[in-house]
Amino acid sequence: MVDQNSHLQDVLAAPDGPHIGALFDFDGTIIAGYSATAMLWEKIKRREMTAEELVETANVMAQYSMGSMGFSGLMTAASKFMKGVTEDSYFQFGEELYEKHIARKVYPESRELVEAHLAKGHTVAIVSSATIYQIEPTARDLNIEHVLCSQYEVENGEFTGDIIRPLCFGEGKVIAAEKLASEHKLNLDKSFFYSDSDDDLELLERVGKPRPLNPNGKLTEIAIERGWPLQNFDSRGQGKPVDYLRTIYATGSLVTSFVAGLPIWALTGSQREATNFSTGLFGDIATALTGVELDINGEENIWVNRPCIFVFNHQSKADVMIMAKLVRKDVGGIAKKEVKDTPVIGKVMEMAGTIFVDRADGRNAIKAMEPLIDAIKVDGKSICIAPEGTRTLSPKVGPFKKGAFHLAMQAGVPMVPIVIHNAGDVAPKNEFVMRPATVKVDILPPVDTSSWKRSTLDEHVAEVRGLFLKALGQEDEDGAPASQPAKPVVVKRTSPGQTAKASAGATKSRSTKAAAQKKPAARKPATTAKAKTAAGAKKRVSKKSAPKRSTAKKPAARKSPTSKASASKPASKTSTPKKAVARKAPARRASVKKTTSKASSAKKPPSQKSPARKPSVKKPAAAKK
């Protein structure tokens, strides 16, 4: 699957140890496209930018693109809209942006590179001119502890309207990398740096292993001239027209497969035979159309003990066709009630025996599944359930709900775990287009449920979830129960330099209100899984020092982020500066190690009154890298 000249092969051949750094640019390198663009479009969709602000943003971006304004000028112009806006509102906006846009842009190949470096025990960091608000959720998802980025100055939990210099751009990235190397004893001459842009030439020249990744035209020319290895990924970003056609036809094949089974139903009177025919046909047609191939281990476990409860980890809408191809016949399923309202498809799924449940109402969901017990006991059907309840944003296994376990216990049938490794390569959550991929699937031996009791159900949930974690090479840190989210990775944030003002503690710790007001899903803890590479490399060994805490006081009142935000740069490197911080990702964020600088100002927004309402961030400062 891997080309011998690929960057991944270089990592697998590299020596182990935390003295080797693996530095990654963000925009265009870890993710496809630009997080700044996603920020800008989200602000426009929310109608939180006036016509005047849009014109001013466009003007600043045009000046930067034409070279009449440098990156520092771009960030300074951006910062003037930030004064008085609470930092917490930007962290919340960053979480929402990650869920809606950025999570699906992460290159699977870049994820694999990061996991390979972690498995080698290398010190992994993101070095980007973008801001922590754009980067942190992705860093947490990828288990990247260090984020070196541009920063806005924060006092008493609010942006001051100033930036912290030097920015993490150009030579500033070299300063940041050397500071990280000094603190963690890295040998930059033996370290890797991955970037897509010639803006990062200084740091590419500074490390011993420059690795252009998805390079722009100028960097491609430089890399060829200097003999640097190149690699391009095409698994994310704008899909090709053929990918859209594949997706449309594959989705529609659910209906056409059902129609193809109607003559069987009409002529034999057997709805079950017609449904079996249509289920297998849909799985075969949809996977063929999308170019999805299955690498199956343990296929015999599909058939050895039926009827049963098939449980699978849910990463992608492609899971439906994957499961149909695997189980093929005598099967029913459960889907969220919203699917029932989908024209034609909802009706087809209902006629095929799918039960629709309200995921927000646990008691009624269990009651709605009662007909499935008869389907199992009387009709001999197996049931497919995703115990996570919804698709995850990454390959990490989420918490399991208990519905499938109650069902297995009441029906007295075994449970068969189906571990899908990388369906997100086909179509990540919130992505429409499906792309060709080889998906690895492990079908584990049946789990006996005959001795299960209600009083011990939590243990059985943890046991089965643990099987998924083991098969995927994931672990719950510190022995956390497998049925609960793992302890989050701590993301340490630093900037290229640190001034007297910053070290004097100008940055204050943020209010805890944002965490209380935030929807649980908006800040999902990332399992700190110790990554395994395709080659089965060693587990990560490096341990980082605890983050420093600021002694500053909390802000008295949380401000709404509806004030003006900054210009963003969609096609080049931009950034959102802010102070260096050590924070725990999903819960309350820790304090800021900070750096300084001054810029301009803007109006303070009114206080946010309703905790139920999503804070709307006014035009967040965004950046490439």
Side-chain angles (χ1 to χ4, degrees):
M1 293 177 62
V2 179
D3 184 85
Q4 290 299 317
N5 296 318
S6 74
H7 292 341
L8 181 60
Q9 287 296 326
D10 292 342
V11 178
L12 298 179
D16 297 0
H19 65 288
I20 294 178
L23 313 179
F24 286 82
D25 178 34
F26 185 62
D27 293 302
T29 303
I30 287 179
I31 68 169
Y34 302 94
S35 54
T37 306
M39 276 186 142
L40 180 61
W41 281 113
E42 185 63 21
K43 294 303 299 173
I44 293 172
K45 282 171 61 178
R46 295 183 182 197
R47 298 182 179 179
E48 291 171 353
M49 294 180 70
T50 65
E52 179 184 354
E53 292 164 357
L54 283 169
V55 169
E56 187 169 352
T57 297
N59 179 50
V60 170
M61 291 166 59
Q63 290 184 58
Y64 179 79
S65 299
M66 292 185 296
S68 57
M69 177 184 289
F71 184 74
S72 180
L74 176 71
M75 293 306 302
T76 300
S79 67
K80 71 178 183 177
F81 298 111
M82 305 290 291
K83 187 175 182 179
V85 178
T86 59
E87 187 188 26
D88 273 326
S89 66
Y90 266 60
F91 276 114
Q92 180 160 336
F93 181 77
E95 296 288 348
E96 294 170 359
L97 194 73
Y98 174 73
E99 288 197 356
K100 289 183 179 180
H101 303 285
I102 296 190
R104 69 174 185 261
K105 294 177 179 291
V106 176
Y107 284 109
E109 300 93 336
S110 291
R111 182 185 295 276
E112 192 174 12
L113 277 172
V114 170
E115 290 175 347
H117 280 293
L118 291 174
K120 285 280 188 176
H122 298 166
T123 299
V124 181
I126 293 175
V127 187
S128 173
S129 58
T131 60
I132 194 68
Y133 319 106
Q134 298 156 256
I135 300 170
E136 188 203 41
T138 304
R140 196 171 64 237
D141 172 43
L142 296 175
N143 297 321
I144 297 176
E145 181 177 358
H146 302 283
V147 172
L148 317 179
C149 62
S150 297
Q151 299 176 20
Y152 284 120
E153 185 179 78
V154 176
E155 290 183 4
N156 296 320
E158 296 179 358
F159 295 110
T160 66
D162 295 346
I163 59 175
I164 296 172
R165 301 178 190 274
L167 295 169
C168 197
F169 181 83
E171 184 63 26
K173 287 194 175 184
V174 177
I175 296 172
E178 289 180 337
K179 185 169 184 278
L180 182 73
S182 174
E183 291 174 352
H184 296 277
K185 299 180 180 178
L186 303 185
N187 185 340
L188 290 181
D189 293 333
K190 295 182 178 180
S191 295
F192 297 77
F193 177 48
Y194 302 90
S195 176
D196 71 308
S197 175
D198 60 287
D199 287 343
D200 291 334
L201 187 58
E202 291 96 331
L203 186 52
L204 285 165
E205 291 175 332
R206 174 64 185 85
V207 299
K209 297 183 178 180
R211 294 293 181 266
L213 185 58
N214 310 314
N216 62 18
K218 190 170 181 181
L219 181 56
T220 299
E221 292 177 6
I222 294 171
I224 292 173
E225 179 183 335
R226 301 190 184 187
W228 294 345
L230 295 165
Q231 192 167 10
N232 285 281
F233 300 152
D234 60 2
S235 58
R236 291 293 182 265
Q238 188 67 32
K240 301 173 184 176
V242 67
D243 294 325
Y244 285 90
L245 286 175
R246 287 172 181 267
T247 303
I248 292 168
Y249 281 118
T251 304
S253 69
L254 177 62
V255 177
T256 55
S257 297
F258 175 77
V259 171
L262 290 179
I264 297 175
W265 188 359
L267 296 174
T268 67
S270 174
Q271 181 181 356
R272 181 168 181 163
E273 288 300 322
T275 302
N276 287 344
F277 173 79
S278 297
T279 300
L281 184 64
F282 165 65
D284 291 338
I285 292 177
T287 53
L289 284 171
T290 53
V292 173
E293 297 182 1
L294 301 184
D295 178 9
I296 306 171
N297 179 41
E299 188 171 5
E300 66 279 2
N301 294 320
I302 285 281
W303 308 105
V304 294
N305 214 332
R306 296 179 78 162
C308 62
I309 305 297
F310 291 111
V311 288
F312 63 97
N313 53 315
H314 197 11
Q315 302 172 9
S316 169
K317 63 182 179 181
D319 294 335
V320 176
M321 64 184 184
I322 290 171
M323 291 300 295
K325 187 174 180 67
L326 290 172
V327 300
R328 304 198 70 82
K329 65 178 185 178
D330 296 333
V331 65
I334 296 174
K336 59 184 180 181
K337 68 175 185 178
E338 293 83 357
V339 175
K340 187 176 181 180
D341 299 327
T342 305
V344 185
I345 290 177
K347 191 63 179 177
V348 168
M349 293 180 68
E350 184 178 15
M351 294 180 71
T354 301
I355 298 295
F356 300 96
V357 298
D358 183 356
R359 295 179 303 186
D361 189 344
R363 291 184 179 179
N364 285 338
I366 292 175
K367 186 176 181 180
M369 291 192 292
E370 288 178 357
L372 294 178
I373 297 176
D374 287 338
I376 296 169
K377 289 184 173 181
V378 178
D379 299 333
K381 283 189 173 183
S382 297
I383 306 299
C384 294
I385 304 178
E388 292 160 300
T390 187
R391 281 174 279 174
T392 57
L393 288 168
S394 79
K396 294 178 180 177
V397 178
F400 278 11
K401 298 181 179 180
K402 298 179 183 178
F405 299 84
H406 280 290
L407 190 60
M409 187 170 59
Q410 292 176 40
V413 294
M415 180 172 281
V416 177
I418 297 180
V419 184
I420 303 174
H421 286 252
N422 57 313
D425 292 3
V426 180
K429 186 175 181 178
N430 300 326
E431 183 69 43
F432 170 74
V433 68
M434 291 193 280
R435 304 171 195 265
T438 298
V439 178
K440 182 181 177 183
V441 180
D442 289 331
I443 304 166
L444 306 183
V447 176
D448 183 18
T449 66
S450 59
S451 62
W452 284 11
K453 299 177 182 178
R454 288 182 180 272
S455 60
T456 58
L457 198 59
D458 285 344
E459 297 174 16
H460 305 311
V461 173
E463 174 192 357
V464 173
R465 184 169 180 270
L467 296 174
F468 280 85
L469 293 173
K470 182 178 180 181
L472 291 168
Q474 300 176 14
E475 295 177 4
D476 279 347
E477 193 173 78
D478 299 331
S483 59
Q484 301 298 325
K487 183 178 178 181
V489 67
V490 175
V491 177
K492 296 182 181 179
R493 177 183 9 157
T494 63
S495 64
Q498 191 170 16
T499 69
K501 184 176 179 182
S503 56
T507 302
K508 313 298 185 199
S509 58
R510 294 176 303 281
S511 166
T512 57
K513 286 184 181 179
Q517 290 177 353
K518 208 164 154 24
K519 297 181 298 180
R523 200 175 293 178
K524 201 167 187 176
T527 17
T528 50
K530 300 202 177 162
K532 290 186 180 180
T533 65
K538 299 176 183 176
K539 288 183 179 177
R540 184 183 185 187
V541 296
S542 60
K543 286 281 181 184
K544 309 294 186 285
S545 58
K548 295 181 182 178
R549 288 188 173 274
S550 167
T551 57
K553 59 186 179 182
K554 297 178 182 177
R558 173 186 168 119
K559 302 224 180 223
S560 165
T562 52
S563 90
K564 298 180 182 180
S566 67
S568 58
K569 177 180 99 127
S572 185
K573 308 198 165 203
T574 8
S575 98
T576 337
K578 116 164 218 51
K579 348 209 123 16
V581 145
R583 294 180 295 95
K584 288 194 180 179
R588 189 62 252 134
R589 306 180 183 275
S591 60
V592 179
K593 269 189 211 171
K594 103 160 229 256
T595 356
T596 58
S597 229
K598 295 242 169 198
S600 36
S601 67
K603 320 177 253 191
K604 290 190 181 182
S607 298
Q608 182 174 346
K609 306 241 176 187
S610 172
R613 180 175 176 260
K614 283 189 183 176
S616 62
V617 184
K618 218 25 175 168
K619 205 169 108 187
K624 158 75 172 98
K625 291 288 203 199

